[in-house]
């Protein structure tokens, strides 16, 4: 006898109504006050164009361009546009699902290149402490040992000399950021690339954030130091088109100096009875929809359009930085260069005040703003991080005004601190040895039980996390996410 379906059939109207209802609890992604995670060009008709382009290619399987030749045409066009903006003669690349996949592929390429060309069997990945977490993820997945080098504590830029000193015969790849996500500052790419090249080592520039914005800022009249494949010694680069290219997520490109280097990225297998497999990316089967919408958005906005959008972001960044620096007790971190800004708040002794900062984040959220809290790390101060886009540049003055109000409210609140006894106890725990009941108890104590997401005020939770050892923090966060996705 047939059984009732787990999910009964419903009308299209009912399904769409339920989806719209689910979105009501989310932060706004268009024209709102969400200064993280979303990139909005604010161009009328752009979302509709992207959706229509995706729909036209949603059922196309990007696995095999010999069956769907449109995929090869679209990818060649998109990668060609990126290479023309960021490349060198002979540059080759691949369209990917996002910055993480682009970075994974670049690290895989470097590992296999080091193995094939230099006989490296225990590869290392040399990176500044501000390099994106995706590099650590890649090292974890692909069996490389991360060698983390501290950055300058004042400028937050990578130290090229220290990077050079960390390179060994085992180094497969050296990393620089343009800019780093955490602070929005550009590393000294030319010096780092030269140090890598001098040892015969590949150098990847993580331009996921800045790759599409920085060249257009230069075109808009801003000074931007060379950072791309035109720089001697840079051998690969990643750029996200779903950031300042304003395509829908996920859309990214990884570029290599030549086809020979890119070849190490590919996976091919004929040792099974099915069809011969060749995968340029981590994914096999994939919809052509995301590629098509990225192609459509790039063509719709155009070079002059991107230049104008970059100019708007730069002008708003100037106003934001001036406004922040005029607020007593606020300190901008480093010299932000590409739409990303991080700032901390100071106590009476001009030291970063974690409690006040976290209260400020909560107070801003009450006023309708979302800024991303970033905890302290390796001597670098905790801060609030925000991303400017063309759709939010008109909110800058209101944000600065509300920040002053929120800071006054935050100063009136009692400090949040982690219980020293609990912190001391946590420091003695072995995260790998904790059982489910122990983890559940710690999560509940921290207010991370997963049933209702984070509490309305996150300051107590984040203060506790800030004080915990890194491995325990990682275990708790992983368990918390696991408790949110319960099925």
């Amino acid at each position: 006898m047939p059984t009732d379906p787990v999910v009964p059939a419903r009308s299209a109207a009912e399904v769409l109504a339920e989806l719209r209802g689910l979105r009501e609890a989310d932060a706004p992604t268009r024209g709102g006050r969400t200064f993280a995670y979303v990139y909005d060009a604010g161009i009328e008709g752009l979302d509709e164009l992207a959706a229509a382009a995706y729909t036209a290619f949603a059922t196309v399987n990007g696995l095999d361009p010999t069956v769907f030749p449109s995929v090869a045409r679209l990818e060649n066009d998109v990668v060609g546009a990126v290479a023309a903006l960021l490349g060198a003669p002979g540059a080759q690349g691949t369209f990917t699902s996002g910055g993480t996949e682009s970075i994974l592929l670049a690290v895989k390429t470097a590992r296999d290149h080091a193995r094939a060309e230099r006989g490296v069997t225990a590869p290392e990945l040399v990176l500044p402490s501000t390099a994106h977490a995706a590099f650590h993820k890649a090292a974890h997945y692909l069996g490389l040992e991360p060698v983390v080098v501290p950055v300058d504590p004042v400028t937050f830029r990578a130290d090229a000399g220290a990077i050079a000193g960390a390179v060994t015969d085992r180094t497969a790849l050296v990393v620089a950021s343009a800019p780093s996500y955490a602070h929005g500052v550009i590393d000294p790419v030319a010096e780092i690339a030269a140090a890598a090249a001098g040892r015969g080592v590949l150098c990847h520039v993580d331009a996921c954030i800045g790759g599409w914005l920085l060249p257009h800022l230069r075109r808009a009249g801003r000074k931007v130091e060379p950072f791309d494949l035109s720089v001697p010694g840079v051998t690969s680069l990643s750029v996200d088109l779903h950031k300042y290219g304003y395509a829908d997520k996920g859309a990214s490109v990884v570029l290599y100096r030549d086809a020979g280097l890119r070849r190490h990225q590919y996976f091919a297998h004929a040792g099974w009875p099915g069809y011969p497999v060749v995968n340029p990316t981590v994914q096999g089967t994939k919809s052509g929809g995301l590629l098509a919408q990225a192609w459509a958005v790039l063509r719709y906005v155009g070079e002059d359009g991107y230049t104008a959008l970059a100019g708007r972001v730069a002008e708003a960044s100037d106003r934001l930085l001036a406004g922040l620096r005029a607020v007593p007790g606020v300190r901008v971190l480093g010299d932000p260069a590409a739409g990303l800004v991080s700032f901390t708040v100071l106590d009476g002794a001009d030291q970063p005040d974690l409690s006040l900062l976290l209260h400020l984040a909560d107070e801003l959220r009450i006023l309708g703003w979302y800024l991303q809290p970033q905890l302290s790390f390796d001597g670098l101060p905790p801060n609030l991080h925000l991303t400017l886009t063309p759709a939010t540049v008109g909110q800058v003055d209101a944000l600065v005004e509300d920040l002053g109000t929120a800071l006054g409210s935050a100063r009136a609140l009692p400090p949040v601190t982690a219980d020293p006894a609990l912190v001391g106890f946590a420091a003695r725990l072995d995260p790998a040895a904790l059982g489910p009941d122990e983890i559940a108890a710690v999560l509940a104590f921290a207010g991370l039980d997963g049933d209702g997401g984070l509490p309305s005020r996150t300051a107590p939770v984040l203060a506790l996390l800030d004080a915990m050892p890194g491995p325990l923090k990682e275990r708790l966060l992983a368990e918390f996410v696991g408790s949110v996705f319960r099925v």
Side-chain angles (χ1 to χ4, degrees), residues 55-462:
T55 299
F57 278 78
T59 58
V60 170
N61 190 339
L63 174 65
D64 192 342
T66 67
V67 177
F68 301 101
S70 60
V71 170
R73 162 65 192 278
L74 292 175
E75 179 152 341
N76 285 333
D77 284 353
V78 169
V79 174
V82 174
L85 193 67
L86 297 169
Q92 303 281 309
T94 302
F95 182 83
T96 78
S97 65
T100 294
E101 188 179 18
S102 289
I103 287 168
L104 279 167
L105 293 170
V107 173
K108 188 247 184 217
T109 296
R111 182 199 66 180
D112 291 1
H113 177 272
R115 179 187 298 156
E117 302 295 328
R118 296 167 42 221
V120 176
T121 57
E124 295 176 337
L125 174 64
V126 174
L127 65 167
S129 62
T130 49
H132 198 279
F135 289 99
H136 294 270
K137 183 177 184 178
H140 177 73
Y141 281 5
L142 298 169
L144 289 84
E145 180 181 346
V147 177
V148 179
V149 180
V151 300
D152 185 293
V154 175
T155 67
F156 304 94
R157 301 174 80 213
D159 182 330
I163 292 280
V167 175
T168 71
D169 292 340
R170 292 173 53 197
T171 305
L173 185 66
V174 169
V175 174
S177 302
S180 64
Y181 179 84
H183 306 108
V185 301
I186 300 175
D187 288 336
V189 171
E191 292 91 334
I192 291 172
R199 297 291 297 272
V201 173
L202 302 183
C203 176
H204 181 84
V205 174
D206 174 17
C208 287
I209 290 282
W212 205 253
L213 178 63
L214 291 172
H216 291 102
L217 283 175
R218 186 188 291 125
R219 196 166 185 260
R222 299 285 173 141
K223 183 179 179 180
V224 176
E225 294 295 326
F227 67 93
D228 55 20
L229 285 169
S230 67
V231 176
V234 173
T235 53
S236 60
L237 179 144
S238 49
V239 52
D240 287 357
L241 300 179
H242 60 223
K243 290 189 170 75
Y244 286 104
Y246 307 110
D248 287 341
K249 300 177 184 296
S252 181
V253 167
V254 56
L255 279 182
Y256 300 96
R257 183 166 292 281
D258 54 51
L261 190 55
R262 183 181 64 171
R263 195 171 297 118
H264 292 284
Q265 171 190 296
Y266 286 19
F267 171 81
H269 186 72
W272 74 308
Y275 61 93
V277 170
V278 181
N279 294 150
T281 65
V282 176
Q283 300 178 90
T285 291
K286 52 190 175 184
S287 170
L290 288 170
L291 174 60
Q293 60 85 24
W295 181 91
V297 169
L298 293 185
R299 291 191 165 222
Y300 184 72
V301 178
E303 187 76 8
D304 290 342
Y306 281 115
T307 301
L309 293 172
R312 292 184 62 197
V313 169
E315 185 275 332
S317 181
D318 290 343
R319 285 191 289 116
L320 176 62
L321 292 172
L324 290 174
R325 288 167 176 149
V327 178
V330 169
R331 186 176 79 196
V332 174
L333 302 183
D335 185 17
L340 304 185
V341 174
S342 294
F343 65 92
T344 193
V345 292
L346 308 176
D347 60 17
D350 284 341
Q351 295 300 310
D353 189 328
L354 174 68
S355 174
L356 182 58
L357 182 86
L358 298 179
H359 276 322
L360 174 61
D362 283 339
E363 292 299 310
L364 284 170
R365 198 158 189 170
I366 290 170
L367 295 175
W369 304 97
Y370 178 76
L371 277 64
Q372 191 175 52
Q374 299 187 137
L375 302 179
S376 57
F377 173 76
D378 195 27
L380 304 181
N383 58 83
L384 294 185
H385 175 280
L386 59 89
T387 304
L388 285 170
T389 70
T392 57
V393 296
Q395 304 271 21
V396 165
D397 294 337
L399 171 62
V400 172
E401 182 176 349
D402 278 357
L403 187 144
T405 301
L407 191 55
S409 300
R411 292 188 190 279
L413 295 171
V416 288
T417 56
D419 183 342
L422 178 63
V423 173
F425 173 73
R428 297 189 296 272
L429 294 176
D430 178 2
L434 295 178
D437 293 341
E438 294 164 308
I439 285 289
V442 177
L443 286 174
F445 182 86
L448 294 171
D449 57 15
D451 289 336
L454 288 170
S456 57
R457 296 195 71 91
T458 62
V461 175
L462 295 177

Side-chain angles (χ1 to χ4, degrees), residues 32-61:
R33 295 182 168 193
T34 306
F35 280 75
Y37 300 119
V38 295
Y39 293 80
D40 183 4
I43 297 177
E44 185 175 355
L46 189 63
D47 285 346
E48 292 76 12
L49 170 69
Y54 182 94
T55 299
F57 278 78
T59 58
V60 170
N61 190 339

Side-chain angles (χ1 to χ4, degrees), residues 442-486:
V442 177
L443 286 174
F445 182 86
L448 294 171
D449 57 15
D451 289 336
L454 288 170
S456 57
R457 296 195 71 91
T458 62
V461 175
L462 295 177
L464 180 59
L465 286 175
D466 188 80
M468 286 187 171
L472 179 60
K473 189 184 307 184
E474 291 166 354
R475 175 75 194 276
L476 291 177
L477 290 172
E479 294 292 341
F480 167 66
V481 171
S483 71
V484 173
F485 296 103
R486 293 186 292 271

